[in-house]
């Protein structure tokens, strides 16, 4: 499988009770610039009401092939570790999606998984669908939402299913709303808890097994101040910044403005990029003179620090390769040129 | 076993060197209203001095049957994962309590457990005492205090002993004072550390296995300000609120005023209840029209969000069933009526 | 093996491109008073440039026996869980160090370990070197740096290798710079993340298995304010205080001023010592009268609280035994006398 980029995991209800039932799905498929998510997730689960599920599956099968979406398509199906009826619906949805859209989707997203055995069950379901559709082994990925106490308890064991070169498991996505309900967490007026311990573990286990780690949705989209309703830009950006700091690869978006912000925050800021490019240039010069650790702008820099600076540069290079309209909008030409020229190894 | 409610886990020394050696035990057994704890824990362990242990056991056996305590009785016995003398004393205490009070207690609390094997040892001890007393299998529960590095290390494995329909293990209770001493944590003047990671794991593992999770004691009962000593109401309430936010079921109380506060905080505030009842009413209406996710008061609401609102309502209904004097004191009649009328499922 | 004290884990590049290539190593070996680290770690890994590695090994073998360093010597060698070339270099370095310096070093520090199997590989490497050098089994310790996602994932299992009376594993040291690079953590302008969950687990697993737990380096040594560069004293002290609060035994130092601060912070402050000595005196008196739990200065104190006060006193006594010049500088004579006289057990 190819390397995945997922700064933004944008869910869109696949059917809504409007004249155009595919309104939000169509909007996601045609988004441009910073508003285009890296992953578009047509939602057949909680975002779609029970009596719209059939229409939702039809919308996905019809619209996805019609659009040349620049990122990846990962439909979310129904599932539940503790209710077989939902797993049966999920199996049918996966079979249909893989049969109808095998070449147009990168994989499926399965929510409400439980302990390791349940994730293995989901992996087998995808493998079956893939094989029945005559697709090559491993061509359809599986991403899972970690939103039950059982999945959190087994996170290390579940994540190990993703190690190895041909693993199907691709991303671990946090689901804080269902998770808070399972644990009985409360919103006493200043929001739900942050679950810092879980997020740190998610970042670690994903890195230990070559998976992507994605943060959870922020649902307080708007707030009112003295009679005026505004988009909650600061609170969402704060959450995405925290996720970026601890090494999550991307953030969940429920809304086009959230996609703009998360795409942006999961790129280095111009100041961050300038700082790290400068330190690499200085460190490369010091190493050429036989120094292992050197103080640059007050910071002691060695091989380990260098790896962090290199991450900054590699992220920009990778996104520049697939979404140059974003990188050229964000960085000035001189800086981008230094990024592309920089020597990143030394022996 | 029946479903347990434990908003408050109040320990009381079972014997103190006073004219009435049962002063605090008697006070707990006769408390009323918000001052009555859900669980009263007569303490034979650290709260009772070494040379009062025999008197303490006698007090418990004598007083508990004399009172019609409205909540549950869970005596705490002596134990230690790394000292057989304490385990021997605990075995004798458990045998006596179960034999003398089998019908009056819900279970026993065992402190200072170590790795999973030690908890299995405690489970066997209770099973033996139960069988010797001729009581039905599973009639005496076991709750344990997580306060050693070994128990924290094995928390996931220990908690799994509680899964299954007939499990004896009932509650996981945090013991921060012994825990800090084991780890060598320090109070540099602004209190002991919060151990956020442990508390998050406690909440998760309890939920994954159908157990209760209870926070640890707050021992700075009073503080002095310019010559006047006051009850430390804010600091305790802050701790209990944090515990409620991350989904702990209840909090430890050392003192009647702490019991009032913890009983109160582990009920939804009137504003929280009003908010969630309103959102359920709105969401039920939207779903009836075929909408899966809908924005209510700026928040995107779907099945997962709904579960959180439902938790709020279920808590109030449950406490209303057993302690109506508390719910009718806290909520106005109109709100309580809507709580009882609300439709909580939808297919 | 003897009990180890490690308030300070000071790394020093073992060779730098200067006239005196051993400048920093020599400086560490001759430091005095609060500036002398408990552990000096001559660095053959990232602190030393690739083409200075041979000179670095020579410097260590030559200088260490010439100095009567009052603490312990633990050279850091090259290693990598995912690159055999680095492990081969590490094996040669360990063989040389143990052969040449067997009596002068307490052990070796191995960085970038991975899962449990990799740590077992490192343990075998030390055992081999020890046996070839004709040294008694267990005479050379192993400390490891936890700085990969794999090692964090296996932390519980790795730490268990250290339990038992004859275990070679001695300290778990955090490596946040490599760790952040592995997880893709970002510095958005206000520093790297704190990894609170990892640090809490490190403290716990070390305590559960009789190991030392040591915090990671703070590399922002200096900062500039309006044209003046100053030593970053507050930020480093804040980090070390947090580490002390959660029960880490010591902190990493990159610089003599950091060593002064960490040695100091990992001793109780005079106010903390006075407070805890006073509470022990009061609690001893209350227990003599048959009280189990007693309120002292507003705090409810029992056996568990007492253990925390005892830790404070034991730390001072231990350091007083080996570095009396530090304790007599920090505490006044009257307080120190009470510390040495205090009765710490009661039965």
């Amino acid at each position: 499988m190819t390397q995945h980029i997922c700064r933004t995991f944008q869910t869109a209800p696949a059917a809504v009770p409007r004249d155009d039932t595919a309104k939000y799905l169509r909007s996601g498929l045609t988004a441009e610039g910073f508003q285009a998510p890296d992953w578009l997730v047509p939602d057949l689960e909680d975002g779609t009401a029970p009596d719209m599920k059939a229409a939702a599956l039809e919308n996905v099968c019809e619209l996805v092939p019609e659009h040349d979406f620049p990122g990846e398509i990962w439909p979310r199906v129904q599932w539940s570790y503790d209710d077989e009826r939902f797993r049966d619906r999920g199996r049918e949805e996966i079979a249909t999606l893989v049969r109808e859209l095998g070449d147009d989707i990168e994989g499926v997203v399965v929510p409400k998984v439980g302990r390791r055995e349940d994730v293995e069950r989901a992996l087998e379901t995808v493998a079956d669908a893939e094989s029945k559709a005559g697709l090559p082994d491993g061509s359809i990925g599986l991403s899972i939402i970690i939103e039950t106490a059982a999945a959190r308890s087994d996170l290390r064991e579940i994540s190990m299913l993703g190690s190895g070169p041909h693993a199907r498991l691709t991303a671990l996505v946090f689901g804080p709303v269902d998770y808070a309900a399972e644990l009985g967490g409360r919103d006493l007026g200043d929001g739900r808890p942050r679950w810092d311990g879980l997020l740190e573990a998610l970042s670690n286990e994903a890195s230990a097994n070559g998976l992507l780690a994605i943060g959870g949705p922020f649902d307080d989209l708007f707030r009112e101040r003295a009679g005026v309703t505004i988009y909650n830009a600061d609170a969402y950006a704060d959450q995405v910044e925290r996720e970026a700091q601890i090494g999550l690869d991307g953030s969940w978006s429920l809304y086009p403005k959230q996609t703009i912000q998360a795409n942006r925050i999961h790129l280095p800021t111009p100041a961050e990029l300038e700082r790290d490019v400068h330190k690499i240039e200085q460190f490369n010069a010091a190493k050429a003179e036989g120094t292992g650790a050197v103080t640059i702008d007050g910071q002691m820099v060695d091989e380990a620090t260098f790896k962090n600076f290199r991450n900054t540069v590699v992220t920009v290079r990778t996104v520049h390769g697939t979404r140059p309209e974003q990188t050229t909008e964000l960085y000035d030409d001189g800086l981008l040129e230094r990024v592309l020229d920089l020597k990143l190894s030394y022996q």
Side-chain angles (χ1 to χ4, degrees), chain A:
Chain A
M1 294 172 78
T2 56
Q3 176 147 8
H4 299 269
I5 303 173
C6 181
R7 291 170 300 159
T8 38
F9 176 97
Q10 183 184 319
T11 48
V16 289
R18 301 214 178 199
D19 288 346
D20 176 10
T21 62
K23 174 181 156 69
Y24 296 116
L25 176 58
R26 200 182 306 277
S27 158
L29 286 165
T30 56
E32 292 185 344
F34 273 108
Q35 200 165 299
D38 286 344
W39 286 26
L40 180 65
V41 181
D43 188 15
L44 304 171
E45 203 219 8
D46 285 348
T48 295
D51 53 9
M52 302 289 286
K53 301 287 187 195
L57 188 56
E58 260 178 61
N59 283 346
V60 176
C61 291
E62 193 180 313
L63 265 74
V64 167
E66 287 177 3
H67 292 82
D68 189 23
F69 181 71
E72 303 186 5
I73 305 281
W74 286 81
R76 177 166 80 162
V77 300
Q78 297 180 79
W79 193 270
S80 172
Y81 75 106
D82 67 352
D83 192 330
E84 192 165 2
R85 293 170 305 165
F86 287 96
R87 288 197 301 276
D88 284 341
R89 294 180 206 165
R91 284 190 191 98
E92 283 182 36
E93 289 164 352
I94 291 171
T96 304
L97 290 165
V98 171
R99 190 181 61 236
E100 301 293 320
L101 296 176
D103 293 331
D104 296 304
I105 61 174
E106 295 290 324
V108 294
V109 176
V110 170
K112 292 187 188 57
V113 292
R115 293 200 178 271
R116 178 182 173 132
E117 294 68 28
D118 188 50
V119 177
E120 289 173 325
R121 197 153 56 178
L123 284 165
E124 282 159 25
T125 300
V126 177
D128 278 359
E130 193 182 67
S131 148
K132 280 193 187 125
L135 293 169
D137 181 39
S139 53
I140 303 294
L142 172 68
S143 292
I144 55 176
I145 307 197
I146 304 295
E147 56 187 340
T148 68
R152 169 67 185 100
S153 183
D154 272 16
L155 183 58
R156 175 171 174 267
E157 290 68 26
I158 288 171
S159 303
M160 285 177 173
L161 295 171
S163 67
H166 303 296
R168 184 184 307 281
L169 195 60
T170 308
L172 307 173
V173 186
F174 182 38
V177 188
D178 263 291
Y179 187 67
E182 272 229 346
L183 265 60
R186 277 168 60 198
D187 175 355
L188 294 167
D190 49 2
R192 274 186 298 266
R194 287 166 33 172
W195 310 113
D196 286 327
L198 183 150
L199 289 171
E200 213 185 296
L202 198 77
S203 184
N204 188 83
E205 296 307 321
S207 291
N209 296 287
L211 303 171
L212 295 172
I214 312 295
F218 178 83
D219 58 14
D220 278 325
L221 294 180
F222 306 101
R223 64 189 173 87
E224 192 251 30
R225 182 70 194 259
V228 174
T229 294
I230 58 170
Y231 169 65
N232 223 339
D234 290 326
Y236 181 68
D238 287 349
Q239 174 178 311
V240 175
E241 286 180 0
R242 272 202 310 275
E243 292 169 354
Q245 282 169 327
I246 60 164
L248 298 197
D249 299 278
S251 296
W252 192 313
S253 164
L254 289 170
Y255 190 64
K257 284 185 178 146
Q258 290 191 339
T259 302
I260 293 173
Q261 291 188 296
N263 272 334
R264 189 95 163 209
I265 294 171
H266 286 290
L267 276 173
T269 65
E272 185 185 3
L273 184 59
E274 169 65 45
R275 178 195 70 197
D276 290 359
V277 165
H278 171 71
K279 288 199 176 166
I280 290 177
E281 291 166 346
Q282 300 289 107
F283 183 62
N284 282 348
K287 271 182 83 172
E289 291 172 9
T291 301
V294 61
T295 305
I296 304 173
D297 302 338
Q299 180 183 28
M300 185 162 304
V301 171
D302 68 5
E303 276 306 320
T305 342
F306 171 76
K307 286 178 200 164
N308 287 277
F309 306 149
R310 188 177 53 196
N311 280 344
T312 305
V313 168
V314 167
T315 300
V316 174
R317 286 184 180 175
T318 306
V319 174
H320 188 70
T322 57
R323 306 272 179 132
E325 76 283 6
Q326 293 186 13
T327 44
T328 51
E329 183 185 330
L330 192 55
Y331 309 115
D332 74 39
D333 290 352
L335 180 56
L336 208 48
E337 212 164 292
R338 282 160 72 204
V339 163
L340 300 173
D341 285 352
L342 216 50
K343 187 181 172 189
L344 288 188
S345 69
Y346 178 99
Q347 209 51 2

